[in-house]
């Protein structure tokens, strides 16, 4: 189901290219978006804006609107939170410096993950994962390599068996603070949006505390419709958005055409009563 059901414009405001852990180049991503009927596409690579200029050129060529975005890795009270920025100027130097630092942390973490694989008798995994990465090295690249080698049947299994918190090759990291991430997004002229909020499995109390912090720092939106949420979760997030006076966003979190549960441009319409994040966009 596309957003077209509710609105004549199809928005997909969360997607990844090969500049982070997506498998398509920015150009191929934009072309697929156009084929799938997307009118407005945000590229939100993890901790990188390197795909922006290529994607913007491709969007101009196929006639869709491009929103330059980012998905920043944040640590809040020892939890990993993904913070999406929409409409960010990639030339804003304070944000770029922050992203350079985050990518350096990713490199160190990748080495530590590699050391853990070596310890369990898989010394090739580090080089294999790095060979699949182009700038940003992610746990997804480790997972893709393990699938490629036939060690696991799919990316989910790689996380379940090796890479997620509590598993043998997991390595924690202190990412950006919520304060810094929002400062960068706002300094770059963007709107801050909490990515896939239902994925964090916070209690209601903790999630409200998080949203209070987020709002106090100028955050304006949460993803309500996204591939990580079932309808019940989307409804629940719509209620939080209304309660807290936040705008609602919609995005597929597309990474790969092979992924059957996150298709580019296929996002449920926002539940009734939501104020869309794009309501004041020209
Ligand atoms: P990283 O930012 O390097 O910690 O990697 C996180 C990325 O891995 C996310 O953005 C997802 O694309 C992917 N990911 C995380 N958990 C899972 C999972 N359980 N199954 C599949 N992919 C996952
Ligand atoms: Mn990802
Ligand atoms: Mn994410
Ligand atoms: Mn994402």
């Amino acid at each position: 189901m596309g957003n077209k059901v509710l609105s004549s414009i199809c928005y997909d405001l969360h997607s990844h290219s090969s500049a982070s852990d997506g498998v398509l180049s920015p150009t191929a991503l934009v072309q697929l978006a156009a084929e799938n009927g997307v009118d407005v596409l945000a590229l939100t690579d993890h901790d990188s804006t390197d795909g922006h200029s290529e994607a913007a050129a491709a969007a101009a060529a196929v006639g869709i609107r491009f929103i330059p975005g980012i998905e920043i890795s944040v640590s809040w009270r020892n939890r990993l939170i993904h913070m999406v920025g929409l409409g960010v100027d990639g030339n804003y130097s304070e944000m770029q410096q922050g992203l350079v630092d985050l990518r350096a942390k990713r490199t160190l973490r990748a080495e530590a993950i590699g050391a853990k694989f070596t310890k369990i008798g898989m010394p090739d995994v580090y080089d294999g994962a790095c060979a699949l990465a182009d700038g940003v090295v992610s746990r997804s690249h480790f997972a893709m390599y393990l699938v490629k080698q036939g060690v696991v049947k799919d990316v989910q299994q790689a996380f379940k068996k090796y890479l997620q918190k509590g598993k043998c090759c997991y390595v924690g990291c202190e990412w950006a603070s919520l304060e810094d991430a929002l400062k960068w997004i706002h300094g770059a002229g963007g709107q801050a949006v909490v990515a896939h909020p239902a994925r964090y499995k916070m209690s209601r109390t903790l999630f409200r505390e998080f949203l209070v912090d987020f709002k106090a720092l100028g955050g304006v939106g949460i993803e309500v419709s996204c591939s990580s949420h079932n309808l019940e979760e989307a409804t629940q997030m719509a209620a939080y958005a209304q309660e807290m006076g936040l705008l609602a966003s919609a995005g597929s979190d597309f990474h790969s055409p092979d992924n059957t549960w996150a298709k580019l441009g296929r996002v449920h319409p926002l539940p009734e009563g939501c104020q869309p994040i794009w309501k004041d966009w020209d």
Side-chain angles (χ1 to χ4, degrees):
M1 201 191 324
N3 277 340
K4 291 198 169 198
V5 179
L6 240 197
S7 122
S8 56
I9 302 178
C10 176
Y11 290 84
D12 190 334
L13 302 179
H14 188 151
S15 70
H16 295 271
S17 75
S18 52
S20 67
D21 58 349
V23 304
L24 300 183
S25 68
T27 300
L29 174 80
V30 168
Q31 286 169 347
L32 180 61
E35 271 169 41
N36 287 3
V38 174
D39 298 297
V40 183
L41 176 75
L43 174 63
T44 54
D45 275 312
H46 299 284
D47 306 324
S48 173
T49 61
D50 288 355
H52 283 186
S53 47
E54 187 186 318
V62 296
I64 70 176
R65 180 167 177 190
F66 175 65
I67 305 293
I70 186 75
E71 184 172 14
I72 301 179
S73 310
V74 163
S75 293
W76 181 81
R77 298 199 195 168
N78 238 356
R79 285 163 183 272
L80 170 66
I81 306 279
H82 281 174
M83 191 53 57
V84 161
L86 295 176
V88 292
D89 175 1
N91 294 315
Y92 177 59
S93 62
E94 250 188 77
M95 178 176 75
Q96 276 314 334
Q97 188 52 55
L99 300 180
V100 166
D101 293 344
L102 284 173
R103 294 197 296 270
K105 287 183 181 191
R106 284 181 165 280
T107 303
L108 290 174
R109 182 190 61 157
E111 286 166 12
I113 294 174
K116 288 201 164 190
F117 274 106
T118 300
K119 217 169 165 181
I120 60 166
M122 299 162 80
D124 56 314
V125 176
Y126 175 70
D127 284 344
C130 290
L132 295 172
D134 180 16
V136 172
V137 56
S138 154
R139 281 183 292 165
S140 302
H141 297 110
F142 284 88
M144 287 183 230
Y145 179 73
L146 294 170
V147 173
K148 204 173 108 188
Q149 294 302 106
V151 176
V152 287
K153 74 169 170 31
D154 57 29
V155 162
Q156 279 74 22
Q157 284 303 313
F159 275 86
K160 230 175 147 174
K161 203 163 168 206
Y162 298 102
L163 294 164
Q164 72 192 24
K165 200 168 184 171
K167 297 304 154 88
C168 59
C169 297
Y170 174 81
V171 175
C173 187
E174 183 73 24
W175 302 109
S177 66
L178 189 61
E179 289 79 357
D180 281 346
L182 269 72
K183 208 171 64 189
W184 301 336
I185 290 169
H186 296 144
Q191 292 173 294
V193 173
V194 184
H196 41 65
R199 265 220 332 241
Y200 307 124
K201 307 287 175 218
M202 289 193 228
S203 69
R204 285 176 166 272
T205 307
L206 190 64
F207 186 54
R208 283 202 175 87
E209 286 176 18
F210 170 72
L211 290 180
V212 167
D213 276 8
F214 172 70
K215 265 202 88 163
L217 293 165
V220 291
I222 61 174
E223 286 181 352
V224 167
S225 295
C226 65
S227 308
S228 301
H229 292 174
N230 58 32
L231 273 178
E232 192 188 331
E233 289 166 332
T235 308
Q236 196 182 30
M237 289 306 148
Y240 277 114
Q242 273 170 288
E243 175 193 327
M244 304 291 293
L246 291 164
L247 303 172
S249 190
S252 64
D253 204 0
F254 173 85
H255 284 75
S256 160
D258 296 336
N259 186 331
T260 50
W261 53 269
K263 293 277 184 206
L264 192 58
R266 299 292 177 268
V267 187
H268 283 288
L270 292 175
E272 242 174 86
C274 285
Q275 295 275 347
I277 188 89
W278 55 83
K279 77 180 176 66
D280 294 323
W281 293 1
D282 347 297

